[in-house]
């Protein structure tokens, strides 16, 4: 047991520590950027990344997976924070940061929702997400990550954003290309040190000692309105409850945002877990990850972090750099705190170009290029789902994209199964007409099922055999009851054979006269029907 725990924590300390350091460097600008997106102080984003990263690394269901502040959750926070700040400034004693306090209360609710999902073992429902949706999610997220990096090629002049020009643009492109080149070439020479970390250090040294004026982590923070990277340890803040009265009349917004953050966080985390499972050829625990994500968001609410979820880009950087144990995630989180406390002046000198180059390599590694090769080989419906999920992920957000993909896939599945029902007809020696039903009987196939029968012109004796069919839901039961009653109303004799015990029970509750028309056999199938109790009506 202890050996297994140690193996999960680390089975290669050097790789885990070096890859964790690489991830920590890549986390800084993203955490800061997402804090700006949500309208928060950069340190709130950094604290959120530290707390999310540490707790999920120690307690999560997937060693090697990285969590932190994410853009998907940051976007959802915007209306809540804006509304809170608006209310705060309108008070007799104005509270400038009331929106932030509302966010911390919201994160407590998010934590309870996510942890409850884990305890109720709802993580298993991630298996319902079809593979084309997974491919679309990966491709869409890669495009979103890539688009975010393109923003680094712009500068703000007189309050307006415009593309870099002249030497500034060429220096940026050159440094990004150099970073990517090192990441491609170094692994061919040696895998002893992470290529991403080496690329960041080399490019940073070139700009520092070469006196090259480029955008750095420090300038990025100050351009966004922050004072710098340096801060103190996150502290317990119970004052978030002091202004609960200001939420009166706005609890609907708070719970709506909490549900959105919880849903987006769980979907992104569990799908990232599945992706890392494939990369490492191991299997994580979705339920345990859900609990860890919930706990981390809950703690963020008390310690002043912005919360978040799993990060696919950083997780891939970590895995590709050799970080497979929990130590890699712990290292990333701890180093992030070290940067804040002790090394802010050095980290602020890292060129943004180096981090952009690393993230571009993540985009290349994340995008499922095989989807182009298989697009014309898979069913048209799957191809539509793949493209739709990719597009919706870029256009709106991950949760909407995945939900849309699952719904489209479910509708396609239902339609295909609705057309599969058949009725083979034959006549026995005694003149009984037999309908041998083949295929699933459910809400989608009821109309086709009813069309198979000719009640008016059929002989006086009818047998409907379900040996090769399966009644799946309440609609199927109602269809059987309806067609049997039609024959009975015509004064004809009808027999129902090879129904499961549950089908018989439900039909008898609807009409106890059916006992004479339902035949029982030792080879009756056994399965459950998804249905509510039917009303006891004839």
């Amino acid at each position: 047991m202890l050996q297994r725990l140690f193996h999960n924590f680390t089975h290669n300390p050097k790789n885990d520590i070096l890859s964790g350091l690489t991830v920590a460097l890549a986390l800084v600008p993203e955490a800061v950027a997402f804090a700006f997106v949500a309208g928060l102080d950069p340190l709130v984003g950094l604290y959120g990344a530290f707390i999310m990263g540490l707790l999920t690394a120690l307690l999560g269901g997937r060693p090697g997976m990285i969590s932190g502040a994410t853009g998907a959750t940051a976007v959802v926070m915007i209306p809540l924070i804006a509304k809170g700040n608006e209310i705060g400034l309108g008070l007799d004693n104005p509270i400038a940061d009331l929106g932030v306090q509302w966010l911390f209360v919201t994160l407590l609710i998010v934590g309870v929702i996510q942890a409850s999902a884990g305890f109720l073992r709802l993580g298993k429902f991630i298996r319902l997400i079809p593979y084309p949706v997974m491919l679309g999610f990966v491709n869409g997220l890669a495009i979103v990550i890539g688009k975010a990096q393109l923003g680094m090629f712009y500068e703000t002049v007189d309050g307006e954003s415009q593309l870099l020009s002249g030497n500034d643009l060429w220096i940026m492109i050159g440094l990004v290309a150099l970073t990517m080149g090192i990441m491609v070439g170094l692994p061919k020479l040696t895998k002893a040190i992470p290529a991403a970390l080496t690329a960041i250090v080399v490019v940073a040294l070139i700009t520092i000692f070469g006196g090259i004026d480029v955008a750095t982590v420090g300038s990025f923070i100050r351009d966004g309105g922050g004072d710098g990277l340096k801060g103190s340890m996150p502290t317990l803040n119970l004052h978030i409850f002091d202004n609960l009265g200001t939420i009166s009349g706005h609890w609907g917004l708070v719970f709506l945002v909490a549900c959105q953050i919880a849903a987006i966080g769980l979907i992104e985390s569990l799908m990232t877990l599945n992706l890392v499972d494939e990369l490492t050829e191991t299997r994580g625990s979705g339920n345990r990850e859900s609990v860890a994500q919930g706990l981390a968001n809950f703690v963020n609410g008390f310690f002043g972090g912005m919360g978040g979820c799993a990060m696919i880009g950083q997780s891939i950087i970590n895995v590709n750099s050799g970080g497979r144990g929990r130590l890699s995630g712990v290292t990333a989180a701890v180093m992030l705190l070290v940067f804040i406390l002790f090394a802010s002046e050095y980290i602020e000198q890292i060129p943004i170009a180096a981090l952009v180059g690393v993230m571009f390599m993540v985009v290349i590694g994340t995008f499922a290029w095989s989807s182009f090769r298989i697009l014309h080989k898979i069913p048209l419906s799957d191809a539509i789902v793949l493209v739709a999920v990719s597009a919706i992920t870029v256009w709106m957000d991950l949760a909407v994209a995945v939900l849309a993909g699952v719904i489209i896939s479910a509708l396609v599945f239902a339609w295909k199964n609705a057309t599969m029902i058949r009725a083979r007809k034959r006549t026995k020696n005694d003149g009984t007409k037999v309908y041998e039903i083949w295929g699933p009987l459910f809400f989608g196939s009821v109309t086709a099922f009813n069309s198979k029968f000719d009640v008016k012109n059929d002989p006086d004796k009818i047998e409907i055999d379900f040996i090769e069919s399966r009644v799946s839901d309440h609609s199927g039961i109602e269809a059987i009851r309806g067609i049997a009653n039609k024959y009975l109303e015509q004064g004809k004799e009808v027999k129902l054979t090879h129904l499961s015990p549950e089908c018989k029970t439900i039909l008898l509750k609807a009409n106890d006269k059916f006992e004479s028309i339902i035949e029982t056999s030792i080879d009756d199938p056994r399965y459950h029907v998804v249905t509510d109790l039917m009303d006891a009506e004839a």
Side-chain angles (χ1 to χ4, degrees):
M1 180 67 178
L2 290 175
Q3 184 178 3
R4 181 181 176 186
L5 288 173
F6 181 78
H7 183 77
N8 280 337
F9 189 76
T10 182
H11 58 276
N12 193 322
K14 178 180 73 71
N15 283 355
D16 281 343
I17 291 172
L18 290 177
S19 62
L21 177 58
T22 306
V23 170
L25 293 171
L27 277 172
V28 172
E30 291 216 356
V32 172
F34 296 145
F36 286 146
V37 166
L40 300 169
D41 185 277
L43 283 175
V44 176
L46 292 167
Y47 288 151
F50 162 66
I51 293 170
M52 290 298 303
L54 182 63
L55 292 180
T56 55
L58 289 171
L59 306 174
R62 171 69 267 172
M65 197 165 83
I66 304 297
S67 294
T70 62
T73 55
V75 172
V76 178
M77 299 172 185
I78 295 174
L80 174 74
I81 296 170
K83 187 65 178 179
N85 288 338
E86 178 188 334
I87 298 295
L89 294 176
L91 297 174
D92 294 335
N93 297 312
I95 304 174
D97 64 343
L98 186 61
V100 182
Q101 296 182 39
W102 281 21
L103 172 64
F104 296 152
V105 173
T106 303
L107 289 176
L108 300 181
I109 302 172
V110 171
V112 172
I113 294 173
Q114 292 183 324
S116 298
F119 286 125
L120 294 173
R121 307 187 71 79
L122 301 182
K124 61 187 177 183
F125 289 106
I126 196 69
R127 301 172 194 166
L128 296 178
I129 296 179
Y131 189 67
V133 175
M134 187 72 175
L135 282 180
F137 151 75
V138 169
N139 291 348
L141 209 54
I143 295 171
V144 169
I145 294 172
K147 282 181 62 180
Q149 307 317 306
L150 293 178
M152 302 300 180
F153 287 83
Y154 287 76
E155 62 180 344
T156 302
V157 179
D158 297 329
E160 294 185 3
S161 179
Q162 63 183 37
L163 183 67
L164 294 171
S165 59
N167 288 336
D168 290 341
L169 178 60
W170 288 112
I171 290 172
M172 181 72 171
I173 293 174
L175 293 177
V176 170
L178 176 60
T179 303
M180 296 175 70
I182 293 172
M183 291 186 65
V184 171
L186 184 60
K188 297 177 180 179
L189 300 175
T190 177
K191 295 183 179 180
I193 53 176
L197 178 59
T198 304
I200 292 172
V201 171
V202 169
V203 173
L205 292 175
I206 289 174
T207 57
I208 293 170
F209 292 104
I212 303 174
D213 184 21
V214 294
T216 62
V217 171
S219 65
F220 179 76
I221 294 174
R222 285 184 283 275
D223 289 345
D227 296 327
L229 186 62
K230 187 172 181 58
S232 59
M233 284 283 293
T235 56
L236 180 63
N237 179 20
L238 297 178
H239 295 295
I240 59 174
F241 300 116
D242 292 347
N243 297 296
L244 279 182
T246 61
I247 304 180
S248 178
H250 302 283
W251 280 106
L253 174 62
V254 170
F255 279 107
L256 174 62
V257 172
C259 290
Q260 289 177 323
I261 294 174
I264 291 171
L266 285 180
I267 291 172
E268 186 159 353
S269 297
L270 294 176
M271 294 190 76
T272 301
L273 182 144
N274 275 1
L275 182 62
V276 177
D277 281 354
E278 290 185 12
L279 291 174
T280 60
E281 297 182 349
T282 57
R283 184 168 181 177
S285 170
N287 293 318
R288 182 172 175 178
E289 185 64 33
S290 299
V291 174
Q293 292 286 334
L295 178 62
N297 276 305
F298 191 83
V299 173
N300 261 302
F302 277 119
F303 283 85
M306 69 178 288
C309 62
M311 307 181 77
I312 186 171
Q314 278 68 20
S315 296
I316 291 177
I317 290 175
N318 189 45
V319 171
N320 289 342
S321 298
R324 302 297 177 92
R326 296 186 185 278
L327 178 60
S328 60
V330 172
T331 300
V334 171
M335 290 307 301
L336 192 59
L337 185 61
V338 170
F339 297 160
I340 296 171
L341 297 177
F342 309 111
S344 58
E345 60 181 303
Y346 302 109
I347 301 304
E348 288 179 6
Q349 296 181 57
I350 293 176
I352 289 295
L355 300 174
V356 170
V358 171
M359 295 310 295
F360 274 150
M361 291 302 296
V362 170
V363 170
I364 294 171
T366 301
F367 196 92
W369 302 100
S370 61
S371 57
F372 289 121
R373 189 172 63 253
I374 67 172
L375 203 58
H376 66 285
K377 299 179 182 178
I378 59 178
L380 178 61
S381 57
D382 286 345
I384 291 173
V385 168
L386 194 161
V387 174
V389 172
S390 300
I392 297 172
T393 300
V394 176
W395 173 43
M396 299 190 70
D397 62 57
L398 171 67
V400 174
V402 172
L403 182 61
V406 171
I407 291 174
I408 294 171
S409 298
L411 291 174
V412 170
F413 176 81
W415 175 256
K416 287 181 178 179
N417 279 272
T419 61
M420 288 174 62
I421 195 149
R422 301 284 187 273
R424 292 189 290 266
K425 307 174 186 69
R426 63 183 176 87
T427 304
K428 292 184 177 180
N429 293 333
D430 62 357
T432 300
K433 186 175 182 179
V434 180
Y435 287 88
E436 295 177 345
I437 308 301
W438 181 91
L441 180 56
F442 69 113
F443 69 91
S445 59
V446 164
T447 301
F449 171 78
N450 288 330
S451 69
K452 307 298 181 185
F453 300 92
D454 187 359
V455 178
K456 184 177 181 180
N457 298 315
D458 276 345
D460 292 336
K461 291 184 178 181
I462 300 297
E463 179 182 330
I464 307 176
D465 188 351
F466 293 89
I467 187 65
E468 294 183 82
S469 180
R470 182 187 178 102
V471 184
S472 300
D473 61 6
H474 192 160
S475 298
I477 294 287
E478 278 291 306
I480 296 172
R481 185 176 70 87
I483 201 67
N485 279 333
K486 287 181 181 180
Y487 279 113
L488 294 175
E489 289 167 3
Q490 292 284 328
K492 299 180 179 182
E493 181 182 334
V494 61
K495 292 290 183 183
L496 305 177
T497 62
H498 295 114
L499 287 171
S500 76
E502 193 171 25
C503 288
K504 298 171 188 176
T505 301
I506 299 173
L507 283 171
L508 289 174
K509 284 182 179 179
N511 188 344
D512 55 12
K513 295 179 182 178
F514 275 20
E515 187 170 3
S516 61
I517 72 171
I518 298 175
E519 289 194 351
T520 300
S521 172
I522 59 172
D523 58 347
D524 283 341
R526 293 184 175 273
Y527 55 80
H528 294 288
V529 181
V530 181
T531 179
D532 296 322
L533 292 177
M534 293 175 59
D535 295 328
E537 60 181 3

